[in-house]
């Protein structure tokens, strides 16, 4: 998989992709993330990428021309399965969407900034609009990193144990069950006996019941309709 991210603040994305699982994915040749500075496609001495909104109002709007130049240049090099715009009014990102995107080959993500992009960008180029929650960030960069992380970790071979991603919260519509490691007892707090039993069927039953119980307590909305 290749993910191209277009941003006006590329420095915000230097850290997330140079460590841990995402770095390992690139070293294994399983995924790569390329960050593109939108200002490289702007003209004039100031490399302007934003302007005042027609009709007035507070805040600046990202201009269509530098964005169009950037996206068209990238599209000449490869075909993208999705061109994604990170925006608070997009569809809320969830595990199902992460699973779906992990099956793609090439993704292009445009990070919103200021008051957003000229609406014509969305009409002409964007195939999917994504939000990571009902709140507003300074820009779409951190949201793009969240999406990339959630998607890349699902690619076979990225995690050392490929079954790990399949038991994450939300994969089966439930929260993950409690987990424990050594020591088996700490200040009188004991690990449930079933997890020490070695009886895998009983362990799996306990984990499922614990998942359902935790989901009922913390996210009952996930069980609606089940």
């Amino acid at each position: 998989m290749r993910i191209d991210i277009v941003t006006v603040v590329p420095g915000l994305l230097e850290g997330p992709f140079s460590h841990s699982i995402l770095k390992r994915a690139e070293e294994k040749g399983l995924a790569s993330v390329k960050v593109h500075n939108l200002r490289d496609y702007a003209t004039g001495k100031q490399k302007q990428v934003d302007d005042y909104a027609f009709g007035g109002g507070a805040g600046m709007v990202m201009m269509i021309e530098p964005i169009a130049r950037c996206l068209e240049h990238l599209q000449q090099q490869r075909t993208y399965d999705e061109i994604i715009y990170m925006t608070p009014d997009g569809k809320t990102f969830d595990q199902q969407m992460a699973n779906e995107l992990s099956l793609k080959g090439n993704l292009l993500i445009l990070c919103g900034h200021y008051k957003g992009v000229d609406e014509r960008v969305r009409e002409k180029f964007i195939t999917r609009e994504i939000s990571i929650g009902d709140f507003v960030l300074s820009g779409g960069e951190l949201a793009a990193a969240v999406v990339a992380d959630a998607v890349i970790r699902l690619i076979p071979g990225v995690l050392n144990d490929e079954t790990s991603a399949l038991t994450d919260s939300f994969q089966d519509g439930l929260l993950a069950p409690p987990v424990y490691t050594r020591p088996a007892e700490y200040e009188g707090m004991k690990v449930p006996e079933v997890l020490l039993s070695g009886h895998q069927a009983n362990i799996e039953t306990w984990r499922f019941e614990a998942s359902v119980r935790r989901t009922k307590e913390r996210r009952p909305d996930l069980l609606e309709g089940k």
Side-chain angles (χ1 to χ4, degrees):
M1 171 180 285
R2 175 178 167 122
I3 300 178
D4 290 276
I5 302 178
V6 178
T7 170
V8 295
V9 194
L12 282 176
L13 293 168
E14 291 175 359
F17 303 111
S18 58
H19 301 280
S20 189
I21 291 173
L22 298 181
K23 180 182 180 182
R24 190 186 316 140
E26 181 140 16
E27 290 174 344
K28 289 182 176 181
L30 298 173
S32 63
V33 178
K34 305 298 180 184
V35 178
H36 306 271
N37 189 342
L38 183 61
R39 294 190 188 279
D40 292 341
Y41 297 86
T43 58
K45 288 184 178 181
Q46 303 301 320
K47 296 294 184 180
Q48 184 178 354
V49 296
D50 62 301
D51 208 339
Y52 294 102
F54 282 124
M60 306 293 279
V61 177
M62 294 174 69
M63 302 160 63
I64 186 171
E65 292 172 316
I67 294 174
R69 279 192 288 269
C70 178
L71 299 188
E72 288 170 353
H73 172 74
L74 294 175
Q75 286 179 302
Q76 289 172 3
Q77 300 176 48
R78 60 187 44 80
T79 300
Y80 290 97
D81 299 294
E82 297 277 8
I83 299 180
I84 298 166
Y85 174 48
M86 302 304 306
T87 173
D89 58 359
K91 185 176 180 181
T92 303
F93 187 66
D94 59 14
Q95 192 62 44
Q96 181 178 348
M97 192 185 299
N99 290 341
E100 179 187 347
L101 292 176
S102 73
L103 301 176
K104 308 293 186 181
N106 294 301
L107 301 177
L108 174 54
I109 302 178
L110 172 63
C111 300
H113 222 73
Y114 312 115
K115 295 296 286 185
V117 300
D118 186 303
E119 186 67 17
R120 291 167 292 185
V121 172
R122 301 167 83 159
E123 295 171 356
K124 180 176 175 62
F125 295 102
I126 304 304
T127 64
R128 186 187 293 245
E129 300 186 352
I130 296 177
S131 165
I132 62 167
D134 295 340
F135 51 88
V136 177
L137 298 170
S138 300
E141 289 78 17
L142 299 181
V146 166
V147 170
D149 184 291
V151 169
I152 290 174
R153 68 189 303 278
L154 294 172
I155 298 172
V158 170
L159 299 180
N160 288 332
D161 182 352
E162 292 187 16
T163 63
S164 178
L166 301 178
T167 57
D168 287 338
S169 289
F170 308 112
Q171 283 290 13
D172 55 2
L174 300 171
L175 299 182
V179 292
Y180 301 86
T181 187
R182 293 180 290 181
E185 181 175 349
Y186 175 73
E187 295 185 352
M189 304 168 69
K190 297 181 179 180
V191 173
E193 288 294 334
V194 64
L195 298 180
L196 307 176
S197 68
H199 195 298
Q200 201 60 39
N202 289 348
I203 291 172
E204 293 306 318
T205 298
W206 180 90
R207 284 175 171 163
F208 174 74
E209 292 174 349
S211 287
V212 173
R213 187 163 55 250
R214 175 163 284 187
T215 305
K216 285 182 177 179
E217 293 171 352
R218 303 185 181 192
R219 290 292 305 276
D221 57 294
L222 295 175
L223 297 174
E224 293 177 4
K226 288 186 177 293

